[in-house]
Amino acid sequence: MKYVVKMVAMGLLLTACATQDAPKRTLSWDVDDALGYCAKQVERALDSLRQTDGSYDYTMAPRNILQGETTWNCRKAYAEEWCSGFWPGILWMDYGVTQNENVRQQAQGYTESLAVLTQQPVFDHDLGFLVLGSYGKGYEQTKNTAYRQMMLDAADSLATLFNPMVGTILSWPRHVKDYGGHNTIMDNMINLELLFWAAEQDSSKRALRDMAVKHAETTMAHHFREDGSCYHVAVYDTLTGDFIKGQTHQGYADWSMWARGQSWAIYGYTMVYRFTKEQRFLDFAQKVTDIYLKRLRETSDDMVPLWDMDDPRGETAPKDASAACVVASALLELCQYVEEEKGEEYFAAAADMLADLSTEKYQSRDSNVAFLQHSTGHHPAGSEIDASIVYADYYYLEALMRLKNMLKQQM
Ligand code: GLY
């Protein structure tokens, strides 16, 4: 194909060159600078987490840094905490970039403190987040067979939450009464990766793949409105499997677009396509992406969304950098699966998101030891509003690494 396209959008310079099938992409900002910044922040964070005797308390996982604070607030790593996998995941990814031996040692320490997760009954669906971030990222770097086994065991444990009448994994066993049935939240799509991965690793676990596909199908059928925007929570009759209602938990309203919920849908269906190669999931990943991008451009002054796109305060409402990070990472994968023109649109959007996130507006820089600020965790509960949150950093680093790899591959 012979054509030349030049496009400058929000700091991205994308050049499609003649002679090659794939357009050549370049950025007007430096992804290595952003990765170097992350490495520096990791070192600062590790310094601040080191105890006076030089050791680390691996049982306490970094979770957030609130406004005015400079270092991570930590939570007990495995006591009903869904975020403990992200910090070891950040360390493993940073180790992948820097080969820094101290970072590797701490990644191992924080990861292995989560071994208890497969020695107890599954608490809720977040087992996937916990294990994919820690052992999963660790396995990518080390091929440690004990990490592989931990992931396989965790997948079996997660599968015990699958209800075949409904066709999804139960997200919150503790909230079945509050919600009036089997509840499944959009975030749960991310956890399917553990099931798909385990089934690929071990042919005797084929049933896990079937569960993941069924969950994705059921969610596609009930968890979305006509335009492709999602509810946060879908409630089903535990016994008959009938869909009862869609509602919010962390968003502005039952009918609104909670930015991170939609980001999980984009990331989730992209990942489901990676494992299944089924066109219906690829089409759906594009549908849930396109409505997100449309609403983003209507409601935000840059490529980072309001925490909920329907917050009536409009541009004065808090942002959620974490949702932008999840979407950027997902789009860098999705852009490789779709038609070329669409792929360029998604690549440009992801690069623009990362360009915005890499400015002084969103990077924490000297103000605290996280990579990013301006994320929102649970607005209705008044929790983590306009804060640094560990999963924003995790998906930011994942997205930067994906971007760097893509740029390297085309050289
Ligand atoms: N419940 C997971 C999240 O806050 O996205």
Side-chain angles (χ1 to χ4, degrees):
M1 184 184 312
K2 291 193 183 290
Y3 63 94
V4 176
V5 178
K6 245 190 185 179
M7 187 170 83
V8 180
M10 306 280 289
L12 167 73
L13 174 67
L14 180 151
T15 309
C17 295
T19 69
Q20 297 293 326
D21 280 337
K24 183 150 172 74
R25 293 144 168 170
T26 54
L27 305 174
S28 63
W29 55 283
D30 192 342
V31 69
D32 284 323
D33 283 352
L35 287 166
Y37 161 75
C38 293
K40 205 176 86 207
Q41 294 299 86
V42 163
E43 285 191 32
R44 291 180 64 215
L46 283 175
D47 282 348
S48 70
L49 291 164
R50 194 182 299 115
Q51 304 180 115
T52 43
D53 67 357
S55 68
Y56 291 87
D57 182 355
Y58 296 131
T59 69
M60 296 300 289
R63 167 69 190 247
N64 60 41
I65 305 177
L66 306 180
Q67 281 182 30
E69 298 175 339
T70 56
T71 56
W72 288 110
N73 294 302
C74 298
R75 296 199 183 164
K76 198 79 181 160
Y78 40 80
E80 305 177 17
E81 165 60 13
W82 75 279
C83 293
S84 316
F86 295 121
W87 176 242
I90 288 167
L91 295 177
W92 283 121
M93 286 189 277
D94 181 61
Y95 170 67
V97 176
T98 62
Q99 299 296 298
N100 179 319
E101 176 54 22
N102 179 47
V103 173
R104 190 200 62 74
Q105 278 177 24
Q106 308 326 325
Q108 184 177 335
Y110 281 103
T111 295
E112 293 174 9
S113 80
L114 298 177
V116 67
L117 290 172
T118 51
Q119 293 153 16
Q120 60 194 21
V122 61
F123 175 70
D124 70 14
H125 73 124
D126 289 324
L127 186 60
F129 277 107
L130 290 162
V131 169
L132 288 163
S134 55
Y135 287 90
K137 291 294 187 198
Y139 185 65
E140 280 174 24
Q141 292 299 326
T142 63
K143 297 294 173 227
N144 179 336
T145 52
Y147 286 14
R148 177 178 178 275
Q149 191 56 50
M150 173 74 190
M151 291 171 73
L152 292 172
D153 292 346
D156 286 336
S157 185
L158 180 62
T160 62
L161 292 175
F162 185 77
N163 177 334
M165 286 310 292
V166 176
T168 70
I169 291 166
L170 173 64
S171 288
W172 294 321
R174 63 191 176 284
H175 288 317
V176 168
K177 257 202 184 139
D178 315 338
Y179 279 102
H182 174 105
N183 56 73
T184 297
I185 66 172
M186 188 47 62
D187 328 25
N188 207 328
M189 287 297 301
I190 306 302
N191 302 317
L192 303 183
E193 183 169 354
L194 187 62
L195 303 184
F196 280 121
W197 178 88
E200 265 190 8
Q201 291 286 313
D202 179 344
S203 56
S204 72
K205 294 191 188 297
R206 173 83 199 185
L208 300 184
R209 184 186 195 283
D210 297 342
M211 282 178 202
V213 170
K214 187 71 190 161
H215 182 116
E217 270 172 10
T218 307
T219 298
M220 198 158 77
H222 298 299
H223 219 128
F224 292 86
R225 309 174 190 101
E226 199 49 43
D227 66 359
S229 64
C230 67
Y231 303 108
H232 187 191
V233 188
V235 183
Y236 302 88
D237 186 299
T238 302
L239 299 178
T240 66
D242 291 343
F243 174 69
I244 300 173
K245 60 185 173 183
Q247 66 181 88
T248 199
H249 179 73
Q250 281 166 257
Y252 173 71
D254 291 344
W255 47 268
S256 70
M257 187 188 283
W258 175 49
R260 200 167 53 259
Q262 196 72 19
S263 81
W264 296 137
I266 295 167
Y267 194 108
Y269 279 96
T270 300
M271 175 273 299
V272 170
Y273 178 72
R274 182 201 314 155
F275 283 100
T276 63
K277 292 289 178 272
E278 286 190 41
Q279 186 66 36
R280 59 186 175 140
F281 293 130
L282 183 60
D283 292 344
F284 201 67
Q286 292 180 75
K287 180 172 180 176
V288 301
T289 297
D290 289 345
I291 185 66
Y292 174 92
L293 292 176
K294 177 173 179 290
R295 299 290 323 275
L296 172 70
R297 290 182 172 121
E298 287 168 357
T299 56
S300 184
D301 55 358
D302 60 18
M303 293 300 276
V304 178
L306 303 178
W307 74 279
D308 188 302
M309 306 236 191
D310 292 293
D311 184 322
R313 289 173 292 180
E315 284 183 14
T316 61
K319 294 268 191 173
D320 182 14
S322 77
C325 297
V326 174
V327 174
S329 189
L331 291 190
L332 289 173
E333 178 173 9
L334 184 59
C335 76
Q336 302 179 55
Y337 300 147
V338 297
E339 298 285 329
E340 185 174 303
E341 195 179 331
K342 199 74 183 162
E344 292 316 314
E345 181 196 329
Y346 289 162
F347 178 84
D352 288 350
M353 289 170 199
L354 291 171
D356 283 346
L357 290 164
S358 301
T359 60
E360 64 182 349
K361 179 173 176 191
Y362 291 101
Q363 286 187 337
S364 305
R365 303 201 176 170
D366 293 335
S367 69
N368 73 44
V369 298
F371 304 157
L372 298 176
Q373 50 192 352
H374 303 315
S375 291
T376 295
H378 193 335
H379 195 288
S383 159
E384 297 176 322
I385 298 172
D386 199 10
S388 293
I389 309 182
V390 68
Y391 44 83
D393 286 12
Y394 175 93
Y395 287 101
Y396 179 58
L397 184 50
E398 184 181 83
L400 290 173
M401 290 177 72
R402 285 181 173 184
L403 182 56
K404 184 179 165 83
N405 282 338
M406 288 173 75
L407 296 176
K408 204 160 93 189
Q409 274 167 19
Q410 68 178 4
M411 287 171 85

